[in-house]
Amino acid sequence: MKPFQADLLMLLVTIGWGSSYLFMKIGIDSLGEFNVIALRFGLAFVLAAGLFFRRFREIDCLTLKYAAILGFILFIVFVLITFGLNTTTTSNAGFLVSLTVVFVPLITAFLLRKKVELKTALSVILAITGIGFLTIQLPLVFNRGDLFCMGAALFYAAHIIVVSSAAKKVDPLNLGIAQLGFTGLYGLIFSFIFEVPAWPSTTTSWLAILALSIFCSAIGFILQIIAQKYTSPTRTGLMFSLEPVFAALFGYVFAQEILHGKGYIGAALILLSVVLSSSQKKSSQSKRTSDMRNSGRNLSQ
């Protein structure tokens, strides 16, 4: 697969994820949060595993190990997003979760014990300022749902970093399918502990769950892992930067959610910080690629 084709796949994935906030908000109107996660990822796993059964049955222990880790991280991400959507809008959620791309270089710098570059620091300042415009209201009130969504962005950054390494070591398709199964399993366990598991009771809820399972999960997360094998984290981040735009668009068209005044300023600053954070990694990525070619060693980010 060529990098351009991988980028197109990531764009399709980003459109699907942009719509997922709306579908999750619809789903939690009639189902428990853990129940939605269990159904979304459980059905996605059954569909994907059935479709690629011959290949999936050859899965190995290393792939299962990575899938269990990625599935747990993904579970935490969607617990935070799902609970966050109870008290925030799909637009806010989309812009705040996009901070993932800001967190990736920060976490990488911390793990590698490197100084944070100037552009990364600037992107963080822009993001924090944007968050203030988007979420803080006078008198000073900070929405709990917004905090959950920012937490989700932090954990999803960890997910991207682990995927970048794991996809180069194991079969990315089997990894993508297995992580769906583990995420659904964690959701089911927590649903039994804290909720009463149930099937959707309305046509609208069923449509939302099926859209989440098929397009946003089964197709989305598998294509993400496959595409990341043929493109760089930088280009992936740039594709992800469009997710809040699609989230806001779906929220406006289908839920009549409109940003007002300072909300537009905040959203623009967050989007700018995401793009800046992604683009600043390009030169360092090119240098690492050159070093890899010269030394003949594999590079993991």
Side-chain angles (χ1 to χ4, degrees):
M1 182 185 297
K2 296 179 180 179
F4 177 72
Q5 293 173 317
D7 291 341
L8 287 180
L9 284 182
M10 286 308 308
L11 180 61
L12 291 176
V13 170
T14 302
I15 294 173
W17 287 346
S19 69
S20 69
Y21 300 100
L22 177 64
F23 291 130
M24 281 190 288
K25 202 169 183 67
I26 294 172
I28 59 178
D29 283 343
S30 59
L31 295 169
E33 288 82 2
F34 296 119
N35 202 165
V36 168
I37 295 172
L39 285 172
R40 170 180 180 170
F41 288 96
L43 291 174
F45 169 73
V46 171
L47 176 65
L51 187 61
F52 299 100
F53 175 72
R54 290 186 179 180
R55 186 164 171 178
F56 185 67
R57 67 183 179 181
E58 298 177 357
I59 192 169
D60 56 29
C61 292
L62 181 61
T63 303
L64 287 173
K65 174 185 174 181
Y66 277 118
I69 296 171
L70 288 172
F72 182 72
I73 298 173
L74 212 54
F75 172 68
I76 298 298
V77 168
F78 283 94
V79 166
L80 292 170
I81 292 176
T82 308
F83 276 92
L85 283 169
N86 278 321
T87 54
T88 193
T89 65
T90 59
S91 301
N92 271 27
F95 281 104
L96 292 173
V97 174
S98 71
L99 289 172
T100 291
V101 189
V102 177
F103 289 140
V104 167
L106 290 178
I107 294 175
T108 302
F110 174 77
L111 293 176
L112 298 179
R113 296 181 179 180
K114 292 183 177 180
K115 291 183 178 181
V116 177
E117 296 182 12
L118 178 60
K119 288 186 179 180
T120 300
L122 180 59
S123 69
V124 172
I125 294 172
L126 286 172
I128 293 174
T129 305
I131 289 169
F133 276 105
L134 186 66
T135 62
I136 298 177
Q137 301 176 355
L138 294 176
L140 287 178
V141 176
F142 207 89
N143 197 327
R144 185 174 61 179
D146 295 327
L147 288 174
F148 283 149
C149 289
M150 282 186 280
L154 181 61
F155 276 94
Y156 198 64
H159 183 272
I160 288 177
I161 292 170
V162 176
V163 165
S164 294
S165 175
K168 296 177 177 65
K169 299 177 182 179
V170 299
D171 184 339
L173 178 61
N174 282 343
L175 178 63
I177 296 172
Q179 77 161 352
L180 295 175
F182 278 106
T183 306
L185 177 62
Y186 298 139
L188 183 61
I189 292 171
F190 275 76
S191 183
F192 272 110
I193 295 174
F194 297 105
E195 302 168 348
V196 178
W199 295 103
S201 57
T202 66
T203 302
T204 301
S205 295
W206 265 114
L207 290 174
I209 292 298
L210 289 175
L212 287 169
S213 300
I214 298 171
F215 299 107
C216 304
S217 299
I219 295 177
F221 285 103
I222 292 174
L223 288 184
Q224 176 212 350
I225 289 181
I226 293 174
Q228 273 197 246
K229 186 176 182 179
Y230 300 98
T231 189
S232 68
T234 299
R235 297 170 74 93
T236 299
L238 287 172
M239 292 298 105
F240 283 169
S241 70
L242 295 175
E243 182 180 337
V245 178
F246 291 121
L249 180 62
F250 281 108
Y252 173 75
V253 174
F254 296 103
Q256 291 75 53
E257 294 179 355
I258 302 175
L259 292 175
H260 294 284
K262 63 185 181 68
Y264 281 105
I265 299 175
L269 289 174
I270 290 175
L271 189 58
L272 178 60
S273 74
V274 169
V275 173
L276 180 61
S277 180
S278 299
S279 62
Q280 69 89 25
K281 293 181 287 183
K282 187 172 183 179
S283 59
S284 59
Q285 174 70 20
S286 299
K287 182 179 183 300
R288 285 193 295 266
T289 301
S290 177
D291 292 341
M292 179 183 68
R293 288 172 178 170
N294 291 334
S295 64
R297 295 177 299 176
N298 291 326
L299 176 65
S300 295
Q301 287 194 348

